[in-house]
């Protein structure tokens, strides 16, 4: 009878995540097609994309993407290719001017190794020898003292004296340790109580600032509509009060959490506060989730390319100035990165309202509402020189005003809710918010996730976390492995 044949298990296929330029995400563990045809697993509606543009498959231990003789081909790092291997990650463009896709591998789980049993410290013979000595000198009772020699009795008496002395010593040590533990426990309880009180006061101060933010945004709306000079003075007074409150808040919370977190985690919380959410109220999983999205940026060259483009073409300072001029965080700069990679002639996917276009991806109705001229090619996904949405300066001014208006809605000056509104539509977000208590403490992005996660599209969820994580990286790119300084670093330096 022949020995049974051992068959090896086929190699595990690592999951592949695919992210489209319009914010959609897919996850595959088997081959899939990319193209304009709706039967493709990754459908992309763009004139640069063929009906069946490319196929992605797993063979010989790695994923690869292959061109299906498409009209515009596959472009990787500026070069047209027939195939490209997806090692840990790959950014591929469908045509030289077409939409890009980011593909990322999920790491396979590490195999668990069986625990190695502890190695015996002594051989059996050595153990037996020690047992014999223990029995000889310490195992006999007082009744058989006559049967042992004088040397053995002396060893026993010496051992008893040492043993009693050690017992007294250890009892004293145990008492000292117990007293120290009691004191430490009492101090820890006191420190915890004090920390909790400080955090409660800090949160109350933060949400007082938030209420003032909402008031400022509403007054600014009225001033913009009426041009009232007296209203402008009132806004200035509000802003001076707001700055003083923030200085007090900074002093109050300094040291509250800095000692407990890494530098990267501290940056996440600081950016979160800049976007109008209380860092002390952030749920623990929030930091982990932002860190996960930072990893997505690190896996591709998209962040570096977009920053380089914005700096070379002079977008960075002008975009920051527009938002600062609206009393908004300059970090909304990264919203344009997520929308278009700072490409002013980008056309997005079709919507029921028409094609989104430009650096800020305005749909025709919203662009017109904010003073942008909509060109005659609005119904086609290609650049239109007569469409102001492609004029990045005009579109940036419109985007800053639009975001400012969302601030004054039920979003209540929460930058994260503003991002969700920009992507999904402010009316949809407001509809959810109006089912929640009308105060900033109970109406923030985390509360929306907790109560309405099933209604919020995955695209919008990704959108918010991509922008927040990009803003975190942008505070100190070198900390996250990027070889350049903060694109908004000029804000910290005198001009």
């Amino acid at each position: 009878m022949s020995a049974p044949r051992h068959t090896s298990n086929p190699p595990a296929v690592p999951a592949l995540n695919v992210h489209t330029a319009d914010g959609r995400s897919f996850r595959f563990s088997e081959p899939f097609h990319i193209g304009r045809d709706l039967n493709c697993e990754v459908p992309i509606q763009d004139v640069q994309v063929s009906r069946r543009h490319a196929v992605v498959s797993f063979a010989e231990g790695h994923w690869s993407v292959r061109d299906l003789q498409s009209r515009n081909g596959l472009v990787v790092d500026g070069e047209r290719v027939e195939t490209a291997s997806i090692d840990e990650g790959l950014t591929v463009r469908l045509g030289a001017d077409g939409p890009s896709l980011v593909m990322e591998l999920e790491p396979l789980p590490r195999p668990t190794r069986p625990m190695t049993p502890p190695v015996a410290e002594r051989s059996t013979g050595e153990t037996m020898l020690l047992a014999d000595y223990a029995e000889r000198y310490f195992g006999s009772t007082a009744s058989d003292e006559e049967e042992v020699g004088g040397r053995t009795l002396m060893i026993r008496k010496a051992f008893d004296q040492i043993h009693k002395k050690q017992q007294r010593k250890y009892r004293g040590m145990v008492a000292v340790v117990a007293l120290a533990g009691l004191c430490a426990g009492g101090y820890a309880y006191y420190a915890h109580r004090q920390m909790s009180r400080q955090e409660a006061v800090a949160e109350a101060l933060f949400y007082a600032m938030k209420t003032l933010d909402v008031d400022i945004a509403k007054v600014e709306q009225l001033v913009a509509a009426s041009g009232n000079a007296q209203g402008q003075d009132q806004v200035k007074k509000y802003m001076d009060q707001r700055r003083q409150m923030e200085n007090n808040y900074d002093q109050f919370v300094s040291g509250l959490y800095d000692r407990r977190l890494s530098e990267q985690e501290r940056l996440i919380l600081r950016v979160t506060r800049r976007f109008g959410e209380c860092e002390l109220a952030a749920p623990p999983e929030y930091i982990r989730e932002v860190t996960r999205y930072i990893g997505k940026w690190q896996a591709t060259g998209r962040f570096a390319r977009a920053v380089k483009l914005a700096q070379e073409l002079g977008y960075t300072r002008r975009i920051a100035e527009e938002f600062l001029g609206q009393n908004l965080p300059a970090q909304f700069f990264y919203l344009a990165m997520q929308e278009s990679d700072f490409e002013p002639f980008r056309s997005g996917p079709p919507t029921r309202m028409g094609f989104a276009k430009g650096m800020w991806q305005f749909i025709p109705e919203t662009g017109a509402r904010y003073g942008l001229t909509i060109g005659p090619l609005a119904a086609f996904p290609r650049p239109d020189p007569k469409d102001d949405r492609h004029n990045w300066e005009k579109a940036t001014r419109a985007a800053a005003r639009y975001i400012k208006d969302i601030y004054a809605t039920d979003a209540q000056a929460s930058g994260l809710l503003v991002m969700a509104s920009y992507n999904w539509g402010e009316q949809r977000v407001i509809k959810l918010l109006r089912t929640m208590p009308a105060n900033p403490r109970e109406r923030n992005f985390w509360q929306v996730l907790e109560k309405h996660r099933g209604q919020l599209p995955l695209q919008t969820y990704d959108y918010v976390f991509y922008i927040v994580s990009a803003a975190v990286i942008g505070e100190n790119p070198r900390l996250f492995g990027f070889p350049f300084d903060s694109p908004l670093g000029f804000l910290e330096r005198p001009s």
Side-chain angles (χ1 to χ4, degrees):
M1 185 174 179
S2 61
R5 179 180 299 172
H6 294 283
T7 58
S8 60
N9 294 325
V13 178
L16 181 67
N17 291 310
V18 179
H19 308 286
T20 63
D22 58 6
R24 292 176 295 153
S25 296
F26 303 85
R27 185 176 185 273
F28 297 99
S29 56
E30 56 187 29
F32 60 93
H33 290 82
I34 304 166
R36 208 171 64 248
D37 193 320
L38 294 178
N39 290 323
C40 290
E41 289 81 0
V42 181
I44 299 180
Q45 301 305 311
D46 190 286
V47 293
Q48 300 289 327
V49 180
S50 299
R51 289 177 59 81
R52 291 172 71 83
H53 199 106
V55 63
V56 180
S57 57
F58 185 84
E60 298 181 357
H62 67 271
W63 286 94
S64 61
V65 57
R66 177 168 56 86
D67 185 24
L68 293 178
Q69 298 183 336
S70 62
R71 184 175 71 245
N72 294 309
L74 300 175
V75 177
V76 176
D77 294 330
E79 300 289 334
R80 182 162 179 168
V81 299
E82 293 297 321
T83 62
S85 177
I86 306 167
D87 297 322
E88 293 183 358
L90 178 73
T91 299
V92 60
R93 192 174 289 278
L94 306 179
D97 299 316
S100 60
L101 295 173
V102 176
M103 304 182 188
E104 305 167 344
L105 285 183
E106 287 186 8
L108 288 170
R110 293 182 179 180
T112 57
R113 294 186 300 176
M115 291 182 63
T116 305
V119 178
E121 294 183 359
R122 298 178 176 87
S123 66
T124 304
E126 186 180 356
T127 303
M128 290 293 291
L129 185 61
L130 288 175
D132 290 342
Y133 275 108
E135 176 64 24
R136 173 175 177 79
Y137 289 109
F138 308 114
S140 301
T141 63
S143 61
D144 60 8
E145 285 184 358
E146 296 178 358
E147 300 178 11
V148 298
R151 185 182 177 190
T152 300
L153 288 174
M154 289 179 62
I155 291 176
R156 286 183 181 179
K157 289 178 181 179
F159 175 78
D160 285 342
Q161 290 178 357
I162 293 172
H163 181 62
K164 289 175 182 177
K165 188 175 181 180
Q166 291 292 339
Q167 280 185 322
R168 290 194 298 270
K169 179 180 177 181
Y170 287 129
R171 279 198 293 267
M173 291 176 63
V174 169
V176 170
V177 170
L179 180 60
L182 186 61
C183 293
Y187 177 77
Y189 175 74
Y190 171 77
H192 176 73
R193 287 284 302 274
Q194 289 296 100
M195 182 75 75
S196 298
R197 288 173 181 170
Q198 279 188 280
E199 289 181 353
V201 173
E203 280 193 50
L205 179 57
F206 179 88
Y207 287 113
M209 289 193 297
K210 287 277 289 181
T211 301
L212 185 57
D213 285 338
V214 177
D215 291 340
I216 291 172
K218 289 179 178 177
V219 171
E220 285 178 324
Q221 276 189 324
L222 294 173
V223 170
S226 64
N228 188 321
Q230 186 176 359
Q232 292 174 349
D233 291 340
Q234 185 62 49
V235 170
K236 186 177 182 303
K237 290 179 182 177
Y238 276 157
M239 291 302 301
D240 289 342
Q241 182 182 350
R242 174 66 170 78
R243 278 189 286 272
Q244 183 59 48
M245 291 174 71
E246 182 149 19
N247 288 336
N248 293 338
Y249 180 79
D250 283 340
Q251 294 174 10
F252 200 83
V253 301
S254 61
L256 263 184
Y257 58 82
D258 280 8
R259 293 186 298 271
R260 299 177 291 182
L261 302 173
S262 68
E263 187 175 353
Q264 294 185 2
E265 291 170 331
R266 291 197 295 271
L267 276 182
I268 291 173
L269 294 184
R270 288 171 190 163
V271 167
T272 299
R273 193 216 302 183
R274 283 203 183 118
F275 279 128
E277 292 290 6
C278 182
E279 69 267 46
L280 298 175
E285 61 271 17
Y286 171 75
I287 289 181
R288 292 195 296 269
E289 192 70 339
V290 175
T291 302
R292 186 168 73 88
Y293 278 79
I294 288 172
K296 291 176 180 288
W297 286 110
Q298 291 170 322
T300 73
R302 182 183 164 207
F303 186 92
R305 285 195 302 271
V307 166
K308 183 180 179 182
L309 177 67
Q311 291 178 322
E312 288 179 348
L313 298 181
Y315 299 156
T316 310
R317 186 176 291 272
R318 286 288 297 114
I319 291 173
E321 287 173 350
E322 285 296 336
F323 283 102
L324 291 174
Q326 295 287 345
N327 294 321
L328 294 171
Q331 283 72 20
F332 275 112
F333 167 82
Y334 297 99
L335 188 146
M337 176 184 284
Q338 178 61 17
E339 285 285 353
S340 66
D341 297 326
F342 300 113
E343 294 181 10
F345 293 99
R346 172 152 316 170
S347 292
T351 71
R352 61 185 182 85
M353 304 295 291
F355 283 95
K357 290 189 177 184
M359 181 184 291
W360 297 93
Q361 290 290 284
F362 277 111
I363 59 174
E365 185 273 332
T366 307
R369 191 184 350 146
Y370 285 88
L372 301 178
T373 299
I374 307 303
L377 301 179
F380 302 95
R382 59 176 181 265
D384 183 350
K386 295 183 178 180
D387 197 315
D388 282 346
R389 292 177 292 171
H390 295 306
N391 183 318
W392 72 270
E393 289 188 282
K394 289 183 178 180
T396 297
R397 286 193 292 272
R401 287 169 46 220
Y402 178 37
I403 288 173
K404 183 67 175 183
D405 286 346
I406 300 175
Y407 254 66
T409 66
D410 293 68
Q412 296 194 348
S414 163
L416 276 62
L417 289 177
V418 168
M419 296 170 202
S421 300
Y422 195 100
N423 177 259
W424 194 30
E426 67 268 29
Q427 293 306 318
R428 292 191 180 100
V429 175
I430 287 171
K431 185 177 179 181
L432 293 184
L433 294 177
R434 287 181 177 170
T435 67
M436 301 167 66
N439 67 76
R441 188 188 294 268
E442 301 291 334
R443 188 177 281 191
N444 54 47
F445 184 70
W446 304 312
Q447 292 292 331
V448 169
L449 288 182
E450 182 178 332
K451 295 177 171 61
H452 301 289
R453 182 67 183 90
Q455 294 170 262
L456 194 74
L458 176 60
Q459 173 185 330
T460 301
Y461 180 91
D462 286 340
Y463 184 86
V464 172
F465 277 101
Y466 268 119
I467 295 171
V468 173
S469 56
V472 172
I473 295 171
E475 292 297 290
N476 186 356
R478 295 185 187 277
L479 179 64
F480 298 95
F482 293 89
F484 50 85
D485 295 323
S486 169
L488 299 179
F490 60 87
L491 297 174
E492 310 296 331
R493 302 188 296 269
S495 57

